[in-house]
């Protein structure tokens, strides 16, 4: 069944209070534009912000949906996941994919942020947004697995298009990129096969260091 946007006022809040809470949430999430990532833009080479990532990621979902391992997909549900997933970075910050120290408590930090930020909304939307966020995190549904695949593919693509900028800056090697992103294949074998060729090419160009020899 396809997702549909809720209409009306299903909660016990007055219409005025419901609207106030929705505007408070919309105002708060503008802060996502101030959260900067390790990836850089392909033209200006400035740091990408998390709102830009969310937009590009959402567009990627629409364009690449046909390459999901599971068909048909509820694309609207995925888009809703994508647009809210990184809002937690307003409180928790962006955790670099290869920062093992900060990754240790990443989920706990982001879950607390989800409670606060989604809690600004009326109760029914709080519950809906939190359920979508948890679904993405768990990767237990076809939609969440495809969302996660595209989420991981996006920074790999930007790194390859910017001569391995973040990889080189942090000393990331080919074996770590492969290991960190292997679950892309759970959502799309086609995207993972393309990614493997892409990062192998980055090694050949000297933009990504090869891993230790076995």
């Amino acid at each position: 069944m396809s997702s549909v946007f809720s209409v009306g006022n299903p909660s016990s809040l007055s219409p005025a209070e419901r609207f106030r809470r929705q505007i408070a949430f919309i105002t708060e999430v503008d802060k996502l534009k101030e959260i900067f990532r390790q990836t850089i833009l392909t033209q200006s080479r400035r740091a990408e912000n998390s709102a830009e990532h969310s937009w590009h990621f959402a567009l990627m979902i629409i364009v690449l949906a046909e390459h999901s391992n599971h068909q048909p997909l509820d694309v609207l549900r995925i888009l809703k996941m994508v647009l809210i997933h990184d809002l937690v970075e307003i409180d928790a910050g962006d955790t670099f994919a290869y920062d093992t120290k900060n990754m240790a408590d990443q989920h706990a930090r982001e879950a607390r942020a989800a409670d606060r930020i989604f809690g600004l909304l009326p109760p029914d939307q709080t519950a809906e947004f939190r359920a979508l966020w948890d679904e993405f995190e768990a990767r237990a549904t076809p939609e969440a697995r495809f969302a996660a695949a595209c989420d991981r593919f996006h920074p790999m693509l930007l790194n390859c298009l910017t001569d391995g900028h973040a990889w080189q800056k942090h000393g990331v090697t080919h074996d770590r990129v492969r290991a960190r992103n292997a679950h892309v294949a759970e959502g799309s074998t086609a995207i993972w096969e393309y990614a493997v060729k892409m990062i192998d090419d980055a090694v050949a160009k000297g933009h990504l260091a090869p891993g230790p020899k076995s």
Side-chain angles (χ1 to χ4, degrees), residues 92 94-112 137 180:
D94 175 60
T95 302
F96 184 50
Y98 305 94
D99 183 348
T100 54
K101 179 180 178 181
N102 283 320
M103 283 173 58
D105 67 344
Q106 179 183 2
H107 182 78
R109 287 184 287 109
E110 292 185 347
R112 288 193 297 271
E137 289 290 293
R180 169 68 178 168

Side-chain angles (χ1 to χ4, degrees), residues 82-97:
V82 167
L83 291 173
I84 68 172
H85 181 254
D86 287 326
L87 295 179
V88 295
E89 294 179 3
I90 291 168
D91 289 357
D94 175 60
T95 302
F96 184 50

Side-chain angles (χ1 to χ4, degrees), residues 124-192:
D124 60 299
Q125 290 183 318
T126 294
E128 178 191 12
F129 281 34
R130 182 54 191 266
L132 287 166
W133 189 82
D134 287 336
E135 180 180 345
F136 190 123
E137 289 290 293
R139 304 204 312 265
T141 64
E143 284 75 17
R145 286 192 288 272
F146 186 67
C150 290
D151 190 32
R152 290 290 176 84
F153 178 67
H154 182 251
M156 284 192 286
L157 177 63
L158 286 189
N159 266 295
C160 287
L161 294 173
T162 56
D163 304 332
H165 172 82
W167 293 333
Q168 294 201 24
K169 179 180 177 181
H170 296 281
V172 177
T173 53
H174 178 267
D175 57 308
R176 293 178 67 195
V177 175
R178 284 284 300 257
R180 169 68 178 168
N181 297 290
H183 76 67
V184 168
E186 297 174 5
S188 173
T189 54
I191 292 176
W192 179 237

Side-chain angles (χ1 to χ4, degrees), residues 174 197-210:
H174 178 267
K197 293 176 182 176
M198 187 174 68
I199 61 177
D200 286 349
D201 188 52
V203 173
K205 291 177 178 177
H207 299 159
L208 174 63

